[in-house]
Amino acid sequence: QHRKVLESGTAREVAELNGQLATSALSMISLLYFVKAKQEEDPLRPAITGYGPRDQNERDAWKRAGVQEYSIKIGNTYYSYQRLDPFATTLGIVADLAQQINDTDFDGDGAQQVVGMLIMTMQNNITNKSYVQGIDNLFQTISDTERKGAKFIGNIMGGFVPNVFNQSMNMEDERMLLETRNYLDYLRKRTPEWAPSTYGNRTDLPPKRDPLGDALTMKPKGFFGESGGIGAIFNPIYSREESTNLVDNELAALGGFSNPTYMMGERNIDLRDEYNENGIQAYDRFQELQGSTLLNGKTLRQSMDELIRKPSYQKLSAEVSDEDASLDVESPRKRELRKLLSAYRTRAKLRMLEEFPEVRKKLKEVQNLRRTGGK
């Protein structure tokens, strides 16, 4: 239609079309400039967010600091705009583009970098929509069946649980986030404790935990900011308050850590498959212990908090030096925190093995086979 107007339209129609195109371009450029400036003011906690960090460790730490993707910050709270289409798609594209411009060092083929940014921006804003997530999950499953297959089929099975059950759990002031591995886990995750079922419910699943061993929760908000209740069931706008925790904020600035590995004994023992007589999972207990174990009378978080406040730590750089930029090394601050993390994880693993004699027995068998060369 535009081409037809430009080729055979009257002078007035051509002028109107040119005006519309110019206004659209200038509006988008102005919005991009505004969002980009807002993100530059505070890169860690931008006033308008897009998708956020792509690295999973950075992304998890970013969220634990209270930041939320595709949201607008008002006061100390982030409010999601994802369900406010068509406004949401436009702002989401601009926010993602601004973030990538701020994060990209333009060198070499600038045109190729711009095309890559545009493709990534469109991908983020199309696949995060709830009405196309099923298709996106299908394509991810086709490309990586081994890792994504269980999740894809599990989500389909979870869809057979009435959504009112899942939504009713938003009435709680605080909702525990849970781990899922097999198909039935997705059914259990969506089934409240009070709902009878033959496949179990939420209480049969271990909680998700952060790299420091703390269980992760979400706090559903009602229309007027209240926690839980009827309003939290129907409120379409997700919100999240900024964290005031010193450790969470420091880890977010440094890129965070990954959760401990669940494999032991030359990768022959999967701690997620090991349960004790009380039905407690070895991997969940290991993570819990790393957060609750005391070294020198302090928990891991308390020790990290104490370290971060020290003047000697504050003098360390939070960035990797130019000489080490090409190497796979961490910043001086992150290295100091990792030493603490490793010490607590070592102690937690020893305590877990004391509580799970079957795991200890299997580990000794693997070690003996290694010493004898498999004989």
Side-chain angles (χ1 to χ4, degrees), residues 332-359:
R333 285 192 180 187
K334 194 170 183 179
R335 286 200 296 268
E336 290 301 308
L337 291 174
R338 185 175 288 282
K339 290 177 184 178
L340 270 180
L341 183 63
S342 298
Y344 276 87
R345 284 183 176 176
T346 299
R347 179 62 64 86
K349 186 176 294 186
L350 292 174
R351 287 190 58 187
M352 181 274 294
L353 290 173
E354 291 175 0
E355 297 181 14
F356 290 79
E358 286 299 317
V359 176

Side-chain angles (χ1 to χ4, degrees), residues 288-295 298-300 344 347-348 351:
E288 181 183 20
L289 284 169
Q290 75 166 359
S292 60
T293 294
L294 299 180
L295 290 180
K298 301 181 181 67
T299 64
L300 174 56
Y344 276 87
R347 179 62 64 86
R351 287 190 58 187

Side-chain angles (χ1 to χ4, degrees), residues 1-14:
Q1 290 176 337
H2 288 172
R3 189 183 300 111
K4 185 177 180 180
V5 170
L6 292 173
E7 291 176 351
S8 57
T10 65
R12 178 175 178 175
E13 290 173 336
V14 172

Side-chain angles (χ1 to χ4, degrees), residues 208-246:
K208 282 182 177 289
R209 295 185 182 275
D210 67 17
L212 305 188
D214 297 327
L216 297 176
T217 61
M218 61 176 291
K219 297 180 179 180
K221 298 291 185 180
F223 290 103
F224 305 104
E226 73 279 9
S227 297
I230 295 294
I233 296 178
F234 301 102
N235 186 6
I237 298 178
Y238 304 122
S239 63
R240 179 178 294 166
E241 293 182 4
E242 287 183 310
S243 173
T244 57
N245 185 277
L246 178 66

